[in-house]
Structures are given as structure tokens and as C-alpha cells.
Amino acid sequence: MVAQDDRQICLFVDTLIDVPVKDDVKLMEYPWFSLQKHGRTEPFHYEKQSKHGVIRIDVKPGPYGMATIFDKDLLIYCQTLLMDRINRGLPVSRTLAINLHDYMRVTGRSTGKDGYQLVKKSLQRLQTTVIETNIKSGDEAQERGFGWLDDYEIKTKQVNGRRVMTHVEITLNRWTYKAITEDRRVITISKDYYNLESGMERRLYELARKHCGNQEFWHISLPKLAERCGTTQDLRSFKRDLSRIIEGDNIPDYHIAFAERGVALTLPDEDDPAATVSGGPKPKRRRSANDRVIVTFMPKNEGKRAANEPKAPLVEILPPEAA
């Protein structure tokens, strides 16, 4: 049962190593965080026309800069703790006590002095970044500005003559808390997400997990993908960096491929080290404008075909009017 008040319940656990990592699907679908490791200082505005009307998101950096996609790890950790307690029938509240050593181990962070200081900076950005959106949480829209955290307090203890950070008490904003405890709009994500060192790779994984899931494919035009990522780059630079990510093929669970409109893709044969994501050499043709480029996301397990199965085109790119 979910507690109806905001009384504090310390959520210390021995480990979260074996607990499935959970993320809010709305945080995965739209660009809420800076992709840079250091806080972005420019405000961000996003609008999208949906069947229910215009979706609007405004993000305003605080004095420490905008919260980053790496700072978001703290929110993911809190969401995972809350869902684990709900699934076990335990009470929850908006205030959580996070064991910092456990958090840093689970998310692959350094447990040295610098690692703890970086956590402090994340807390500062998460609390002072201001979000305004008309996306509902629970049964109401948030009409006022809010930070990702309402409050935090770092706890320390004396160790060998010096003060050491041990845990932090975090109070989530009501919008995030209702999304988890009332809407239950969370899905499981790969623990390998924490291993991605590029903010762009993390954002691409979020979009792939949310929109592709276990489907055969999901495709989107390059300009719309740039908008969904919330990048500050021009389209040409975005495509260049995306090309490098496609070549590296490090996104957990998903392949990414480029194509022009009307071009069919063949998934790579994962047993063939010479295969490429685009299915081999491209035919010679005039290069299209960047705004006509399609990006396709495909689950990696879809590339495992029977030995006698022909390598026929598996993904057909949308016609212009459908992108």
C-alpha cells in the first residue's frame, strides 16, 4: 500500500544489484535533461503536437546549470527503490534515504572523494533546475515551476579525523512521485545503460527502449530525432556524431541505422564480423539532404536469423508523408 502522507521512510537496502532498474517512460520519451556532463546554462523549450493537444516542456537552468542526463541517475535510483518497495508491499513516501556507497556502486561511479563531490553537484543541479510542463502526473497537471528535488540533506560521519558523506535524504517533487506511485508509468531498462559515457548514447537508448521496445523496428526522421534528443547541435554536427555512435554500435539491446527515404535495410548477421548495421556496402547514389534522412532503431536479437533464412530486406523505410 502506498502511504498517503509525506512522512519520511528510510529506504536503506543492502544492495540493488539484483533489482531491475526502472525509469519513468515520460522522462524517456521527451528531452528533460542536458546531454552535456556539465550543466547547460541556456533555457530549453520543447513542443509537440499530439492527438490530445500540444505537449509543452520548459526547462530553466539554476545557478549550477541545467540538470544533466548523468544527474538523472539519482532519479532512476529513487524510482527503482520506490517500485521495489511497492512490489514488495512496503510503504513509501516522497522522502528517501539513499546510501551513497550503494548508489555509486550500482551506477558504476567512483567511490573516492571526487565521486562524492560529483554526487553533491548532481543534487544541486537537480534541485535548482526549474521545470514547467503541461504533462499530467496523477490526475492533475503541474501549473507551477518545480525542481526535480524538493529538498536534500547530505549526512556525514567522522572517519579517521575527517567528515565523510554516508547518505543523503532526498525529497522528490510531487509530479515525479505521483508518476511512480499512482500512474506506475515505469519500465525496466538495461543495467548497461549506466556504462554509457556519452550523453547522446544514453538519450538514444532511452528513445529506443521507449519507442522500439521489442517491436521489429522504430524509425524517425533525423530532424525529429534531434528534437527528441534536445541537442544544441546543428543538424549536420548531430548527424556526424550519430554516425560515430552507429559505427560503435554500443547502445544496449538496439542497433541504429541510417537510410534515405525509399531505401530498404537488412539487419546485420551478428555471426559475420564483416557485417555492418546498414547491411553491407551502400549503392552509389546522390546524397540526400539531412532533413530527408531516416534513422531506424532495431532490437539486436532481431538480427539472429536461422542459417538457411534469406537475407531479405527486413525494414522498409516510411514514405515522405509518414515521417
Side-chain angles (χ1 to χ4, degrees):
M1 179 178 295
V2 177
Q4 297 302 311
D5 57 22
D6 291 331
R7 61 192 174 86
Q8 176 178 330
I9 300 173
C10 290
L11 303 185
F12 283 115
V13 292
D14 293 332
T15 180
L16 280 180
I17 297 297
D18 298 323
V19 176
V21 181
K22 303 291 184 178
D23 199 359
D24 180 346
V25 293
K26 292 298 183 184
L27 297 191
M28 300 170 72
E29 183 171 5
Y30 301 115
W32 305 86
F33 300 92
S34 168
L35 302 185
Q36 306 164 11
K37 289 198 173 182
H38 301 287
R40 171 176 165 179
T41 57
E42 305 85 11
F44 176 76
H45 176 76
Y46 176 84
E47 279 191 9
K48 177 192 174 185
Q49 181 67 48
S50 73
K51 61 182 179 180
H52 302 295
V54 176
I55 292 172
R56 177 181 54 80
I57 297 171
D58 286 288
V59 185
K60 302 173 184 178
Y64 305 99
M66 185 185 296
T68 74
I69 200 165
F70 300 94
D71 301 333
K72 184 190 171 188
D73 287 356
L74 266 168
L75 297 181
I76 294 175
Y77 192 87
C78 291
Q79 292 162 4
T80 303
L81 280 173
L82 286 171
M83 285 307 303
D84 180 56
R85 290 185 68 90
I86 290 171
N87 290 336
R88 290 190 287 138
L90 301 176
V92 296
S93 84
R94 287 199 296 132
T95 300
L96 301 86
I98 303 298
N99 183 310
L100 287 178
H101 187 267
D102 184 59
Y103 163 73
M104 293 161 79
R105 284 176 56 240
V106 169
T107 58
R109 284 168 161 74
S110 167
T111 55
K113 180 180 178 181
D114 290 345
Y116 286 93
Q117 291 304 314
L118 290 175
V119 171
K120 182 177 180 180
K121 291 181 180 179
S122 290
L123 290 166
Q124 291 170 335
R125 286 190 290 266
L126 287 167
Q127 185 184 33
T128 59
T129 296
V130 177
I131 303 98
E132 296 177 357
T133 183
N134 61 354
I135 296 175
K136 288 186 176 182
S137 179
D139 58 356
E140 61 184 31
Q142 192 84 15
E143 296 296 337
R144 63 179 179 84
F146 62 92
W148 293 115
L149 306 179
D150 276 3
D151 187 47
Y152 71 86
E153 182 179 359
I154 297 173
K155 301 291 187 177
T156 62
K157 68 178 180 179
Q158 196 79 14
V159 177
N160 298 327
R162 61 189 181 91
R163 303 300 301 178
V164 177
M165 295 168 60
T166 58
H167 68 281
V168 58
E169 293 181 2
I170 293 174
T171 302
L172 296 172
N173 67 73
R174 294 180 185 276
W175 187 88
T176 300
Y177 183 71
K178 285 186 175 183
I180 302 165
T181 60
E182 294 184 20
D183 298 339
R184 306 289 178 90
R185 63 183 195 202
V186 295
I187 57 176
T188 302
I189 65 172
S190 171
K191 292 183 179 180
D192 290 335
Y193 169 85
Y194 292 130
N195 297 329
L196 296 174
E197 298 181 355
S198 158
M200 180 69 74
E201 287 183 324
R202 286 179 169 225
R203 184 70 189 118
L204 291 170
Y205 171 79
E206 289 181 337
L207 290 168
R209 179 68 184 92
K210 166 61 178 68
H211 292 282
C212 187
N214 295 320
Q215 299 180 92
E216 193 174 82
F217 61 86
W218 174 64
H219 39 218
I220 183 172
S221 68
L222 185 67
K224 288 185 178 180
L225 180 60
E227 290 177 3
R228 289 290 186 93
C229 287
T231 180
T232 58
Q233 297 176 300
D234 58 60
L235 201 57
R236 181 178 179 181
S237 299
F238 175 74
K239 183 182 179 184
R240 178 199 62 213
D241 289 349
L242 183 58
S243 298
R244 293 171 180 167
I245 292 173
I246 289 174
E247 183 178 356
D249 196 22
N250 293 322
I251 305 296
D253 303 331
Y254 298 96
H255 289 304
I256 308 175
F258 275 133
E260 298 171 6
R261 299 189 193 279
V263 177
L265 292 178
T266 300
L267 286 175
D269 184 346
E270 295 191 350
D271 295 328
D272 179 6
T276 65
V277 173
S278 58
K282 299 178 181 178
K284 293 183 179 180
R285 55 183 178 272
R286 189 172 63 182
R287 183 180 179 183
S288 67
N290 286 335
D291 61 1
R292 291 183 56 80
V293 173
I294 296 292
V295 183
T296 300
F297 294 76
M298 301 161 280
K300 287 184 176 178
N301 59 9
E302 292 294 329
K304 297 178 180 178
R305 295 181 297 270
N308 59 352
E309 186 177 343
K311 296 183 180 181
L314 180 60
V315 179
E316 288 292 339
I317 303 305
L318 288 173
E321 61 273 11

